[in-house]
Amino acid sequence: MSALFTRRARNGIVAAASAVVLLAIPIGIALPAQAAPPQTAVAKYVALGDSIAAGQGAGTPLDACLRTGAGYANGLDAIPRINLLRNAGCSGATVSEVAAGQLDQVNRGTTLITITAGAGDLDIGGVYAACFPDPNTLPCAAAVGAAQQTLESGVIGERLTALLIATHERSPRAQILVTGYPLPFGGATPGFLGVIDQAAAALDAQIAGAVAAAAGLGGVPATYVDVTAAFAGHSAVSADPWLGSNAADPVTFLHPNAAGYAAYTGLVHDAYLAVAP
C-alpha cells in the first residue's frame, strides 16, 4: 500500500470523526466561547488642583476658575472605562485651598483622583510677572525671595502630605495620582529663567516627597507622575513649545497647550494602568 494512499485514508478517517462529533452536538447548544480578556473596572474619577488641573491655557475658559474642556482631566474622560464625575480644579488654587474648597467633591464611591497642586503656593507666574522684562528690580527680588523662602520651609510638602492623607480618608478605595510640573524654560537657560526652572524642580521634588511620605505615614495609595522628561525639548522657549510662550497673555503663559495636555493625559493614564484594580 503506498504512503500516499495511507495518508489519504488517515485524513479521511479524521474528517469523518470530526463530522460525527459535530452532528452529535444538539442544535441550539452553542460551543463554549473563549473567555474575554479581563478589563479594569470603570473608574469613577474626580480631578482636584490648580490651573493645570483645570485645563487652563488649551481652550476657551468656561468659568471663573478658567476650566476648559481641553485639559488632561477631559483627555482621561475620553478614554474608555474612565468616567470623569467632576473637575474641581481652579486657577491659582493653593494646596490649602484644594483641601478647604475641593476635597468635598470626592467620596467613598470615588475610585480615581488626580491632583496637581503646589505651583499656586509659589506663585511662579507672579514671580515671572514681577521680574520680566527686568529681573534687576526690587519687586523682582522680593518675589523671588518669597518663593525661595516658601520652598526652603518645606511647607508645600507638608501641606500636600496632609492633603493626600485627608483625601484617602474620604475616598479609601481611590487610587490617587499626583502630577508634577514641567520645567518652564527647559532647565538649561541661564540667568533669571534658570532660577524659575530651579524653583520648579525643587517644587517637583517636594511633591514627590509628599507622595512618598503619605504612603509611609498613612498607607495612601498615591503615585507621583513625573512630566519633566516628556516636556524636554518642548519648553516655553523651544522651537516646539508645549507651554504657552506669550508673556503678554497670562491665561495661556506657561500653561500647557493642546500638545502639552495630551502629554499629561498619556502619562497619567499610563500611571493609572500600572495601579488600576
Side-chain angles (χ1 to χ4, degrees):
M1 184 181 293
S2 70
L4 176 60
F5 179 83
T6 301
R7 185 163 55 253
R8 286 177 176 173
R10 187 185 303 116
N11 291 342
I13 292 170
V14 171
S18 299
V20 169
V21 171
L22 290 173
L23 289 173
I25 299 175
I27 296 174
I29 298 179
L31 291 169
Q34 289 185 340
Q39 291 183 316
T40 58
V42 175
K44 298 176 181 179
Y45 169 39
V46 175
L48 307 176
D50 57 20
S51 56
I52 290 184
Q56 178 179 335
T60 302
L62 303 176
D63 54 29
C65 281
L66 302 184
R67 281 184 283 257
T68 71
Y72 76 75
N74 302 90
L76 290 169
D77 186 47
I79 296 173
R81 311 194 72 76
I82 297 180
N83 180 18
L84 176 64
L85 303 178
R86 291 170 291 279
N87 183 355
C90 193
S91 179
T94 64
V95 175
S96 296
E97 287 168 345
V98 173
Q102 300 182 24
L103 197 54
D104 61 354
Q105 297 298 304
V106 307
N107 54 44
R108 298 185 71 84
T110 310
T111 59
L112 173 61
I113 299 168
T114 58
I115 299 176
T116 304
D121 295 71
L122 281 186
D123 190 18
I124 289 179
V127 173
Y128 188 89
C131 297
F132 182 83
D134 183 4
N136 298 311
T137 64
L138 290 178
C140 176
V144 170
Q148 289 176 335
Q149 184 175 8
T150 299
L151 279 172
E152 292 169 0
S153 72
V155 67
I156 296 176
E158 294 170 1
R159 291 170 180 167
L160 190 53
T161 299
L163 172 63
L164 292 173
I165 292 173
T167 302
H168 179 53
E169 290 174 350
R170 287 189 62 89
S171 301
R173 297 171 52 213
Q175 291 291 335
I176 305 172
L177 306 179
V178 186
T179 79
Y181 297 87
L183 303 184
F185 304 106
T189 306
F192 167 67
L193 300 186
V195 172
I196 296 291
D197 281 342
Q198 290 169 12
L203 174 60
D204 283 342
Q206 288 203 22
I207 295 171
V211 171
L217 293 172
V220 178
T223 301
Y224 175 65
V225 183
D226 188 348
V227 303
T228 54
F231 276 80
H234 301 286
S235 74
V237 293
S238 70
D240 181 23
W242 288 359
L243 297 168
S245 56
N246 182 5
D249 183 359
V251 173
T252 63
F253 185 53
L254 301 186
H255 287 86
N257 55 25
Y261 279 119
Y264 260 91
T265 299
L267 292 167
V268 174
H269 186 232
D270 286 346
Y272 173 63
L273 290 180
V275 296

